Amino acid sequence: MAPRTLSRSGSEPLWRQLQSELLTRLDDGEFTEQFPGELALAEEYGVSRHTVRQALRQLRADGVVVAERGRQPRVAPPAEIAQPLGALYSLFTSVEAAGLAQHSIVRTFDVRADALVAERLDLEASTPLVYLERLRLAGDEPLAMDRVWLPADVAKPLLQADFTHTSLYGELARRTGIRLDHGREEVHAVIPTAAERTTLACAHDVAAFAINRLSHAKGRPIEWRHTLVRGDRYALTAEFSATGYRLVSQS
């Protein structure tokens, strides 16, 4: 087979041309069975393996392919759950909206004190807090480890709820009348620890989102939440146009 042609007379580097070619072929539905290896691509396009590695490095950084040294590159599977940025969302609702059955394994559910979390909630260090820790599953596969703290003076009625298949926000509204109305979230890309990988049943090459959320109701901090979500099953989205960047909200 004659090598595919890349321009060697223009200003665009070969690796970037190769990247564009591969993206076009992916969009056309190629490589569904297997993504070609470095040597095969080098021969097909008549370029060096260094050029191929540069193209794959950017595709990997963009989350399009998974490529590791010594292993065959493969197309990264699409995220099953896409969550708009800027929305005060329920993970329960997001999972079910994606058409996946969801349930949780409740690991801890009690009342305790936590000085650091209390400070984040503008409370005294010894203030009792309702603490709920759940392993969230989507389609019977682990999706996230979710930990949430709420002031016990308002959240104690939640202790009667069964959180194996229900929404925290729904139960909060139903049992206490509290509806969260705004908040702040910080999202970090992290490498899960060995123990976290085991709990989430994710491969060693899968990163995760660490999400910290502080939510309010009528001006009062009500929820501090830390969630670790598998990066191969979850994506954050936003919309933009020529006139600017717009966070997406949902009702």
Side-chain angles (χ1 to χ4, degrees):
M1 180 185 296
R4 291 177 178 261
T5 303
L6 298 177
S7 173
R8 285 168 167 76
S9 59
S11 59
E12 188 175 34
L14 291 175
W15 71 264
R16 191 177 295 278
Q17 294 181 55
L18 176 56
Q19 178 197 33
S20 297
E21 276 273 318
L22 294 174
L23 285 172
T24 298
R25 294 174 69 181
L26 283 164
D27 288 341
D28 289 343
E30 293 192 51
F31 313 137
T32 55
E33 297 296 326
Q34 185 176 357
F35 194 85
E38 290 182 4
L39 184 58
L41 287 171
E43 292 177 351
E44 185 176 7
Y45 285 92
V47 296
S48 69
R49 292 186 72 173
H50 175 71
T51 296
V52 172
R53 289 191 187 108
Q54 283 183 292
L56 292 180
R57 185 180 300 120
Q58 189 60 48
L59 291 177
R60 180 176 56 192
D62 292 341
V64 177
V65 301
V66 178
E68 297 180 290
R69 184 179 296 277
R71 294 193 176 191
Q72 181 86 358
R74 64 184 189 277
V75 179
E80 297 170 88
I81 300 158
Q83 175 57 51
L85 289 166
L88 185 55
Y89 61 90
S90 161
L91 190 59
F92 178 95
T93 303
S94 298
V95 171
E96 301 226 321
L100 296 169
Q102 82 90 35
H103 68 278
S104 298
I105 298 172
V106 177
R107 293 162 61 99
T108 308
F109 193 18
D110 60 20
V111 176
R112 61 179 63 189
D114 187 303
L116 183 59
V117 174
E119 181 180 354
R120 289 167 174 156
L121 293 171
D122 290 338
L123 300 170
E124 294 294 331
S126 60
T127 302
L129 304 171
V130 170
Y131 174 67
L132 173 61
E133 179 179 314
R134 292 173 291 172
L135 177 63
R136 314 292 296 273
L137 294 96
D140 294 325
E141 241 188 280
L143 169 67
M145 178 59 68
D146 196 36
R147 300 176 175 93
V148 60
W149 295 258
L150 307 101
D153 67 321
V154 296
K156 266 192 175 180
L158 293 178
L159 295 171
Q160 306 304 314
D162 178 4
F163 282 103
T164 57
H165 187 269
T166 192
S167 161
L168 173 66
Y169 294 166
E171 291 294 335
L172 186 66
R174 184 161 44 251
R175 294 175 183 269
T176 72
I178 294 174
R179 298 182 184 276
L180 302 178
D181 50 39
H182 73 283
R184 177 183 175 86
E185 217 171 50
E186 292 183 354
V187 182
H188 301 271
V190 299
I191 302 300
T193 65
E196 289 168 339
R197 285 199 303 271
T198 299
T199 300
L200 292 173
C202 57
H204 73 281
D205 59 348
V206 171
F209 293 110
I211 305 173
N212 292 325
R213 176 190 291 187
L214 178 63
S215 303
H216 296 73
K218 297 181 178 178
R220 178 183 175 181
I222 293 292
E223 173 200 42
W224 174 259
R225 183 188 294 247
H226 174 76
T227 307
L228 186 69
V229 190
R230 281 175 50 169
D232 60 338
R233 304 195 69 197
Y234 186 82
L236 295 165
T237 64
E239 292 182 359
F240 65 91
S241 68
T243 59
Y245 184 89
R246 183 173 69 87
L247 294 176
V248 181
S249 62
Q250 64 179 29
S251 57

